[in-house]
Amino acid sequence: METLRFGIIGMGWMGQLHAEVLHQLRSTRLAAIAEIDDARRQAMSARFGVQAYADYREMLADPEIDAVSICVRDLDHLAPVLAAAEAGKQIFLEKPIAATVEDSEAIVSAASRAGVKLMVGHLLRFDPKYRQMRDAVASGQLGDVIHLYARRNSPRTEGPARYRGELPLALHVTVHDLDIILWMLRPHKPVSVYAESVEKLLAPLGTEDSVFALIRFDTGAVAAVESSWVLPAGTPTKLDYQMEVVGTEGASYLSGGYSGLALVSGTGIEFPDNFHQPAVGNVRMGDLRAELEAFASAVLSGEEVPVDPRDSVDAVRLALAIIQSARSGQRVSLL
Ligand SMILES: NC(=O)c1ccc[n+]([C@@H]2O[C@H](COP(=O)([O-])OP(=O)(O)OC[C@H]3O[C@@H](n4cnc5c(N)ncnc54)[C@H](O)[C@@H]3O)[C@@H](O)[C@H]2O)c1
């Protein structure tokens, strides 16, 4: 097999970006889509020129589909993954792997039982900056890690507008940084977490404005993590992110969002995305493209996928401990 034929389940914001990439990569072909919203399904079928299904189970019955990319919302991941595994499809799943540890473990077991590959879209692993920082930690260049700091803040016009309070911030956003921190410090493990959250602007939607967490590792290292999705609407970047690692022999500092490219008009300034999924001419580039290409390459070559799905379960476990601590006001032990 030289080309992996994909079906996408869920053609919302992420599904459309996946479709562009899968349409453009040489190693993949977008073969079909499944979308429950009638108008969106018809529009996307016309836009990409592929067969469209209202029921993803019909798409999964098509032997011409080798792999699926599952892009439904975080709370809905379990059912399509179980069905795709049963149908013997290779599975790329958007992050977080699921919204509970039980569902996450069921997803890993189902893929393993079916003998199909499963990779979760932790796209920061494919950002060269995070990769180089992690390699500096892993090589010992920074010595023993003393502390880490991670920030991921975005304007209220993004996530809260899209998800209307459906999801806890830690599970949807912080999970990106949690996966990276766990990846950097593996095989060491987090032993406890203490978190505080603020519910002010988004309290009517039942979700948090901001979350701050302190995670203690078995080495004694501490990670401080900050996530917010209520920056003012006029914020000139869609994502303000940072990370730092301080060790006994050195330190590393990563920043993004104010991305090195400013577009200034008569009324304001904008820093466009040039890291996750920028459109460069007609081509969708960035970490998203890199992760889908890496998944396809692993399936086609028979190699291991580059993100172990058990890591994705660990990231969800930590996100849920953050939520538990913020709600209870108590430090949560992870031992
Ligand atoms: N990697 C990232 O940076 C990143 C960014 C945003 C979202 N995500 C993840 O992507 C996933 C999707 O998020 P989104 O923002 O695209 O959500 P969305 O609401 O824009 O899209 C979800 C789509 O799934 C469709 N859908 C729902 N149930 C379906 C079903 N049974 N069959 C077929 N279609 C169905 C909906 O109609 C909708 O079009 C989430 O898990 C989210 O966390 C990842």
Side-chain angles (χ1 to χ4, degrees):
M1 194 195 307
E2 285 180 358
T3 306
L4 202 59
R5 297 162 301 182
F6 267 88
I8 297 179
I9 304 179
M11 285 296 287
W13 191 62
M14 275 321 267
Q16 292 176 39
L17 291 166
H18 283 225
E20 288 184 38
V21 172
L22 296 172
H23 210 49
Q24 291 165 358
L25 287 175
R26 293 173 72 94
S27 56
T28 62
R29 183 160 74 73
L30 180 63
I33 57 169
E35 167 59 54
I36 47 170
D37 181 278
D38 291 341
R40 184 171 289 166
R41 183 175 63 254
Q42 282 157 20
M44 292 302 134
S45 176
R47 177 175 165 202
F48 292 102
V50 294
Q51 175 139 17
Y53 297 85
D55 184 340
Y56 63 76
R57 288 167 299 188
E58 286 177 26
M59 184 177 84
L60 292 174
D62 182 350
E64 298 285 302
I65 307 266
D66 308 308
V68 286
S69 176
I70 299 179
C71 298
V72 293
R73 289 193 176 182
D74 309 25
L75 303 182
D76 305 326
H77 286 182
L78 181 63
V81 176
L82 296 185
E86 200 171 313
K89 309 299 182 193
Q90 313 294 332
I91 303 168
F92 186 92
L93 171 63
E94 261 304 340
K95 49 55 61 178
I97 182 168
T100 65
V101 172
E102 295 72 29
D103 284 5
S104 304
E105 285 174 342
I107 283 172
V108 174
S109 305
S112 161
R113 258 196 325 274
V116 297
K117 292 196 189 295
L118 166 68
M119 180 168 138
V120 178
H122 293 290
L123 83 181
L124 298 185
R125 300 243 196 147
F126 299 86
D127 179 327
K129 301 190 293 299
Y130 283 97
R131 177 63 200 237
Q132 286 177 306
M133 182 182 244
R134 185 260 187 180
D135 287 351
V137 173
S139 71
Q141 192 183 332
L142 308 184
D144 291 338
V145 173
I146 297 170
H147 78 252
L148 307 91
Y149 166 75
R151 169 201 285 186
R152 186 158 306 275
N153 295 345
S154 55
R156 59 192 71 164
T157 43
E158 293 291 310
R162 199 175 306 123
Y163 303 115
R164 312 292 318 157
E166 185 196 319
L167 306 165
L169 174 60
L171 193 61
H172 185 72
V173 174
T174 319
V175 75
H176 281 294
D177 295 297
L178 299 177
D179 173 63
I180 292 293
I181 289 167
L182 292 170
W183 181 50
M184 292 218 181
L185 296 189
R186 217 166 252 120
H188 299 297
K189 291 188 163 58
V191 293
S192 68
V193 59
Y194 177 74
E196 295 276 1
S197 62
V198 183
E199 290 88 25
K200 198 178 277 291
L201 287 176
L202 301 180
L205 294 180
T207 194
E208 309 84 355
D209 299 331
S210 305
V211 173
F212 292 81
L214 287 173
I215 305 157
R216 171 78 78 176
F217 279 79
D218 55 12
T219 57
V222 169
V225 187
E226 167 191 345
S227 311
S228 177
W229 49 8
V230 291
L231 302 185
T235 302
T237 175
K238 289 196 171 143
L239 195 56
D240 171 16
Y241 67 86
Q242 282 186 23
M243 183 149 187
E244 69 179 54
V245 185
V246 174
T248 52
E249 307 298 328
S252 175
Y253 301 91
L254 179 162
S255 64
Y258 296 90
S259 58
L261 175 65
L263 299 178
V264 185
S265 70
T267 52
I269 183 167
E270 184 195 341
F271 294 88
D273 170 28
N274 53 20
F275 36 91
H276 280 342
Q277 52 257 338
V280 182
N282 293 327
V283 182
R284 190 61 71 177
M285 304 287 286
D287 320 338
L288 180 77
R289 180 187 186 89
E291 69 175 357
L292 287 166
E293 194 165 25
F295 173 73
S297 165
V299 174
L300 292 169
S301 67
E303 288 168 11
E304 291 296 315
V305 293
V307 181
D308 186 329
R310 288 166 301 186
D311 293 0
S312 308
V313 184
D314 290 343
V316 163
R317 189 178 286 111
L318 189 50
L320 294 174
I322 287 174
I323 294 167
Q324 185 188 342
S325 175
R327 287 187 182 154
S328 67
Q330 304 294 315
R331 186 154 131 159
V332 171
S333 169
L334 298 163
L335 294 174

